[in-house]
Structures are given as C-alpha cells and as structure tokens.
C-alpha cells in the first residue's frame, strides 16, 4: 500500500529535471535542442535576455492565476525593452462553450499566398533569407495531361497530375506532393488548383501524444498550444504531425522591431526563442477576443471561414451542413478541426 | 467660358478619367502608400495612421495587397435594409461604400450629369445590345459582354436614365453600394450562401452578435468580366506573393516540377 503511494507520487511529482536525468536512456537526438539552448557559446540577444526566472518557471498549464500573471508581466517588460514599444502579452483562457473549427473552400482558393504573408505579419515569425518560418504552406496541384496517344501506351497519363495512373504493367502514377515553390506571373492558373495547409488543431493530436515534457497540449476550446518556455526542442512533435504543421527555430529568430506585432498571447504569437517549436494557433490572441484570424480576414477571395463548432448557426457549421466537405488524412484518426470544402 | 468650351472640358475630363482607370487596372506595384483589398485597382486603400503606432492597413511590400487591418471597420457604413430576412439582422453589419471607388476619377459625378443627361447621349429606346463607342476600357466589346453569355446587356443592370444607379426587376434604383441586391436577382444560390456567411468575405468579429464588415459582390468580382475563361476562376488573376525560401543547400525547385518524369 505505502509502496504504491510512493510510486504514484513519483509519477505525479516528476519534474522536468527528473525527466532530463532519465532521458539519458531515451535518445540523444531528442535532447540536442535543449543542449543547444542551454550551452550555446555565444547566445544572441533574444535568447540571452531570457531571464532565469523564465527558465525555471512552471509549465504554464500548471501555474496558478497569480503565477501566470507574473510570467506574463515579466515577458511584457522584456519584450517592451527589446522591441522598443509597448508589448501586450495576453493570457486569455479558452472561451466557454466554444470549439473552434475552420473551413477552407479549395474551389475558391487562387493560390495567391496572401494568407501565408498575413500570418507572418500577425504572428511574429522569423523572417528573411537566413531563417524564414511560415506556418501556412500553399501547395499547387497540377491537373493531369490527357492525350489519346498516352492512353494507348500507359493507360492513363503518367507524367503529371494527381489523377491516379498506371495499369497492369505500370505503377500507379499518384503524385500527391504538390508544389511548394510555384512562381507563375499570375494566379490562378488554368491547369492547377491550390491546397493551403496549416495546423489542423486535431481533436486527437499526435503531436501532443509524443511531447515528452507535455509543453504542447490541447486547450478546452480545441486549440493545440505550446508553452515555448518548456519546449526542450526535441522536435518529436514535428515528426509526429502528419500535416507538416510545425516549424523549428534552428537559429535566433529574425524579427525586426518595426515589424513586430505588439498584440500577443502567451500561448500564441509572442516572440519565440532559438530552439523551440512553433505552429499555427488559429491566432489565439485574436480568436479568444472574438476577432477572426489573420488568414480568414486577408484571403482576397473569402475562401477561409472560422467559427464555433458547437454553434449550429456558425459559419463552419453551415458549411458542414450544406457543402461537400473532407478532411486530410482522416484515416489517421487525428480528427482535424480543419475542413476543406467545395461549393 | 462658352457653353461649347465647358462641354469640351467635361468630355476631356471623362476621357481622362477613363484613361487613368485603364492604367490603374494594369498597375503592379503599390504607389504613394495605396494598397488594394481584393480587386487590384478597384478596391484601393490609402495607408494612414489611425492611432499612434497603428496603421489602418499593413500592406505587402511585393504585391501591394492588404495584409492586415488595424481597424476592420475603418471607412465603412451600415449595410442598410435588405428586403430578405438575413442572418445579420441581429448583428451589426457594415460595408465599405463602392461609390467612392467607382467615382475616384469623377466618372460617376461628371458623366451622369454631363453625358448621360438624355440630350447629348439620348436615352436608349430599347435594351437591345449595340456596339459602344465609349467605355471600352470597361467593356472592350459590348457585343460579347463577358457576363451572361449574350443573354444580358448594360441596361439589365444599369438604370437607363440615372446612370449613378443600378436597377432591380421593377426598375427601382439600387445603389452601387449594395450590388448584392442586383446580383441576387439571378444568382440566387450564391446570394443565399453569401447571406449565410459562407460565400464571400467578411472581417471583424467572428462571434455571434459581433460586428462584421461584409464584402459586397463587386469588391471581389468584376461584373463586366466575370466569366471564367482561361483563368478558371470568377476572380481576376493576381500576382502571387513570393514562394518560400528554398531549404539550405537547395538551388532550385526543379525536383517538384513535372514530377512524373524523374520521380515516378
Ligand atoms: S495538425 Fe499537426 S501540429 Fe496541429 S494538432 Fe494536428 S498533429 Fe498537432
Ligand atoms: S489567401 Fe486565400 S486565395 Fe490566397 S492562397 Fe491563401 S487561401 Fe488561397
């Protein structure tokens, strides 16, 4: 009986340092991030400024309201000094009775990438040649080339397209990678369509399952968030995410002070440090205050919709009720809350 | 100034206006802090500070497209009454008036008084299509209007006498600020989706009861060239934002072009 009790206490009371000690038997790769963060011989400014108090604070989810307040104020002070303007770091909790869902009309998307750039402007990602981080990626999908000659030789078009090809003698020519780096003069193009991807805020997020320090978790409004301060940079979540949604700060983030968005949230777009993972949070700093996300607002063709899945009158629920809808990799049982639709 | 001179100067202003629209439509880069929302050249916003340190809009340095609204309701007016009961009846709905965009070269102000006054250009006796002598910058070939596949013409939408207005089925005037009342005459399905908030664009507060700015039809679509054609979209083509930076050590993205040839 008493033995069992000690065991329980062990499990619950394990600290991050315990974990690090035990992790020797885990994998070396999973620790390189933390090692990099702590032992960088010449830390750049932002990382150097991370105070000891920040290093040794609790996991955000376990903090009391007062501790959260302290953490937020500490950050506001540091960021305001660093960026030379009044920076607000919000700590708004998940909204009651809200489960965020997103719907994207792939029939409408013209592949203009404005959502990508708007997201960067809103969410303080690192930018520039050296380390560019973008949370949204837009894939260009080619349509197949069909010709009578091809049909006789291959059965189906072989070279191009996402249409399935192949016959008894040829492997299926499925091409699902899409193109990330397309750069035509004008979009949309006749022979292509576009598929934007970002974090799907899965209801069963594999990234959360694998995080060894539980710094990434699902909040009650369905947003999967990250406490950057507890991220050890092991990048397990990046490997676990089937949607390529997560990005890693390999180096010091490059965020010019004049471009920095001072309206931030602790779990969202506050400036990050070297050695931590980040991803889309459905603009938690906006949506928890009732405003649409940066990407929803900016899309020039109105392809993006966001709303409360628990409210039958919301945009998203109306899309689910009246349009043709699908999710990516539904077979993986991740239950994404990001839906694609067509008219 | 004689009447004749005055008339000539008005005409040349009309022409001047038309010429500068044509150049605006072909513009690719942003000029004097002007950005565009959805339609390049026809949804322009002047960048300015609305509060210390807060701009009304942030714009893309490469394409001039708006990336961020400091105040989503800047420059808007109430949407006004709609004959059909819509969801926003319990929400504050605002729109950005279209008239200033259309009138930015005084096209609306001058031409409706000076040209289409029933005398210089007589009111047409019927609605039959005929070649236009003017406005070719807007409709290059009026006999092949890129809307309605030959089934409609100017006066099905524009008021025959009051050129500053559009018309409904009964001939009542519709403001350019509320084109949805006109477009909804034919595009019922889309109109319903639009009222439900799942077609078209809105910004502001997502929450039920929250204030929203609605985009109206002509803020995204060009009614004189809405047929899909080669671009495969009811939306005009735009210059895309730059591609992501290539990963370190990769000099080009050839690997992802024409996949099948190498990879499969
Ligand atoms: S999309 Fe990826 S990062 Fe987002 S919740 Fe799902 S697994 Fe996690
Ligand atoms: S802004 Fe809209 S149209 Fe442009 S790429 Fe993003 S989703 Fe597609």
């Amino acid at each position: 009986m008493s033995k069992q009790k000690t065991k329980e206490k062990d499990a619950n009371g394990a600290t991050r340092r315990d974990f690090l000690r035990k992790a020797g038997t885990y994998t070396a790769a999973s620790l390189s991030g933390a090692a990099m963060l702590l032992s960088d011989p010449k830390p750049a400014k932002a990382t150097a400024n991370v105070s000891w108090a920040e290093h040794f604070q609790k996991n955000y989810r376990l903090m009391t309201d007062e501790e959260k307040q302290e953490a937020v104020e500490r950050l506001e002070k540091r960021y305001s000094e660093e960026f030379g303007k009044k920076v607000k770091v919000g700590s708004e909790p998940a909204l009651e009775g809200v489960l965020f869902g997103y719907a994207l009309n792939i029939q409408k998307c013209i592949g203009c990438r404005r959502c990508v750039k708007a997201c960067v402007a809103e969410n303080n990602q690192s930018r520039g040649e050296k380390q560019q981080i973008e949370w949204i990626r837009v894939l260009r999908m080619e349509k197949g080339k069909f010709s009578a000659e091809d049909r006789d030789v291959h059965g189906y078009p072989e070279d191009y397209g996402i249409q399935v090809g192949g016959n008894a003698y040829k492997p299926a020519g499925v091409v699902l990678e899409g193109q990330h780096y397309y750069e035509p003069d004008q979009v949309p193009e006749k022979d292509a369509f576009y598929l934007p991807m970002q974090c799907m805020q899965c209801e069963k997020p594999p990234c959360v399952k694998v995080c060894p320090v539980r710094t990434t978790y699902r909040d009650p409004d369905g947003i999967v968030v990250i406490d950057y301060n507890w991220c050890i940079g092991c990048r397990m979540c990046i490997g676990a995410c089937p949607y390529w949604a997560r990005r890693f700060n390999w180096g010091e983030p490059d965020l010019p002070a004049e471009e920095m968005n001072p309206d931030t949230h602790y779990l969202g777009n506050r400036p990050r440090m070297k050695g931590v993972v980040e991803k889309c949070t459905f603009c938690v700093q906006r949506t928890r205050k009732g405003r649409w996300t940066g990407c929803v607002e900016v899309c020039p063709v109105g392809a993006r919709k966001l709303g409360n899945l628990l409210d039958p009158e919301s945009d998203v629920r109306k899309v689910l009720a009246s349009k043709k809808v699908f999710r990516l990799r539904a077979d993986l049982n991740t239950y994404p809350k990001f839906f694609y639709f067509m008219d | 100034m004689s009447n004749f001179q005055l008339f000539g100067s008005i005409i040349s202003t009309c022409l001047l206006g038309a010429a500068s629209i044509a150049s605006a439509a072909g513009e690719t880069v942003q000029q004097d802090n002007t950005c565009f929302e959805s339609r390049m050249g026809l949804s322009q916003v002047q960048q300015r500070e609305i509060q210390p340190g807060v701009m009304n809009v942030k714009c893309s340095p490469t394409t001039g497209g708006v990336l961020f609204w400091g105040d989503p309701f800047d420059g808007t007016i109430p949407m006004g009454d709609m004959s059909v009961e819509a969801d926003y009846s319990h929400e504050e709905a605002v729109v950005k008036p279209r008239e200033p965009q259309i009138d930015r070269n005084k096209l609306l102000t001058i031409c409706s008084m000076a040209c289409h006054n029933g005398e210089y250009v007589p009111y047409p006796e019927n609605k039959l299509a005929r070649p236009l002598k003017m406005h070719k910058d807007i409709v290059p070939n009026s006999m092949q209007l890129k809307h309605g596949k030959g089934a409609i013409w100017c006066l099905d939408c524009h008021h025959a006498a009051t050129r500053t207005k559009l018309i409904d089925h009964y001939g009542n005037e519709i403001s350019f600020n509320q084109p949805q009342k006109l477009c909804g005459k034919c595009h019922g399905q889309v109109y319903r989706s639009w009222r439900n908030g799942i077609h078209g664009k809105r910004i502001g507060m997502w929450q039920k009861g929250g204030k929203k700015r609605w985009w109206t039809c002509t803020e995204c679509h060009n009614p004189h060239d809405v047929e899909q054609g080669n671009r495969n979209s009811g939306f005009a083509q735009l210059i895309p934002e730059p591609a992501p930076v290539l990963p370190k050590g990769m000099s080009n993205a050839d690997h992802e072009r024409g996949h099948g040839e190498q990879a499969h």
Side-chain angles (χ1 to χ4, degrees), chain A residues 112-118 121 259 298, chain B residues 28-31 33-37 40 45 47 57-69 239-242:
Chain A
C112 67
R113 291 204 191 94
R114 247 209 255 178
C115 47
V116 178
K117 305 297 170 188
E259 289 176 28
V298 86
Chain B
T28 54
V29 272
Q30 134 188 30
Q31 277 179 358
N33 297 337
T34 315
C35 335
F36 71 98
E37 290 182 334
M40 192 186 284
V45 202
Q47 235 185 350
V57 286
K58 279 190 203 165
C59 308
S60 160
T62 44
T63 65
V66 172
L67 290 186
F68 181 97
W69 280 265
I239 303 162
E241 295 290 334

Side-chain angles (χ1 to χ4, degrees), chain B residues 88-107:
Chain B
Y88 59 77
S89 50
H90 57 267
E91 284 173 352
E92 199 178 343
V94 295
V95 293
K96 202 167 225 185
R98 289 299 291 157
E99 279 173 357
Q101 289 289 337
I102 301 167
D103 199 35
R104 69 205 181 290
N105 297 312
K106 298 287 162 265
L107 190 69

Side-chain angles (χ1 to χ4, degrees), chain A residues 75-302:
Chain A
L75 285 172
E76 282 183 340
K77 190 159 163 279
R78 169 157 81 78
Y79 293 145
S80 298
E81 276 167 18
E82 198 175 317
F83 293 96
K85 55 177 133 186
K86 180 102 199 57
V87 177
K88 191 191 160 289
V89 180
S91 55
E92 289 83 3
L95 296 169
E96 290 276 335
V98 173
L99 187 66
F100 284 111
Y102 207 114
L104 193 151
N105 191 338
I106 47 163
Q107 196 176 328
K108 290 269 143 59
C109 173
I110 59 169
C112 67
R113 291 204 191 94
R114 247 209 255 178
C115 47
V116 178
K117 305 297 170 188
C119 172
V120 171
E122 168 72 27
N123 288 298
N124 292 324
Q125 285 100 320
S126 176
R127 55 207 74 181
E129 287 286 316
K130 236 174 122 203
Q131 176 173 250
Q132 185 196 46
I133 293 187
E134 292 175 345
W135 290 351
I136 304 177
R137 73 178 80 220
V138 185
L139 295 184
R140 175 181 185 273
M141 303 293 200
E142 266 171 16
K143 294 181 182 170
K145 282 187 185 162
F146 291 93
S147 72
E149 301 85 66
D150 268 3
R151 184 196 61 181
D152 294 337
V153 182
H154 308 298
Y156 277 102
E158 184 179 49
D159 288 349
Y160 289 99
I162 58 165
Q163 282 91 347
V164 179
N167 55 28
Y169 310 101
K170 290 268 182 186
V174 188
V175 177
L176 281 174
E177 296 96 330
Q179 300 171 358
H180 297 63
Y181 303 100
Y182 66 90
E183 234 162 347
D185 295 337
Q186 303 250 293
V187 288
E189 303 150 276
K190 185 170 180 275
D191 296 319
F193 71 93
Y194 308 89
L195 183 102
M197 283 167 73
Q198 62 205 74
C199 177
M200 315 257 153
Q201 317 297 347
C202 309
E203 276 297 90
K204 291 192 182 174
C207 54
V208 167
K209 288 184 199 165
V210 299
C211 180
V213 290
R214 298 198 178 169
T215 194
T216 187
Y217 57 95
R218 178 195 170 282
D219 249 0
D221 54 2
I223 307 296
V224 174
V225 292
I226 305 170
D227 176 359
Y228 308 113
N229 280 71
W230 265 63
C231 177
I232 58 170
C234 70
R235 311 189 302 286
M236 299 295 240
C237 53
I238 296 184
C241 172
Y243 307 106
W244 312 332
R246 291 179 169 248
R247 307 284 183 275
F248 187 61
N249 286 279
W250 286 98
E252 199 61 39
D254 190 359
L255 173 60
E258 67 279 3
E259 289 176 28
M260 191 254 176
N261 175 11
D263 187 5
T264 75
H265 191 285
Y266 184 96
L267 297 169
N269 61 341
R270 69 177 165 112
R272 276 78 67 186
M273 1 10 163
K274 176 178 176 177
V276 303
V277 169
E278 56 182 75
K279 64 160 192 74
C280 156
T281 63
F282 283 180
C283 287
V284 75
Q285 67 282 356
R286 284 172 167 241
T287 43
R288 286 191 180 168
K289 290 186 286 204
R291 181 140 176 215
W292 266 308
T293 67
C295 51
V296 167
E297 289 204 345
V298 86
C299 178
V301 300

Side-chain angles (χ1 to χ4, degrees), chain A residues 49-67:
Chain A
N49 287 345
V50 175
S51 64
W52 281 105
E54 264 177 70
H55 261 311
F56 290 100
Q57 74 192 25
K58 267 197 225 163
N59 186 323
Y60 185 76
R61 195 165 31 156
L62 303 177
M63 285 184 195
T64 61
D65 284 351
E66 293 81 64
E67 284 168 333

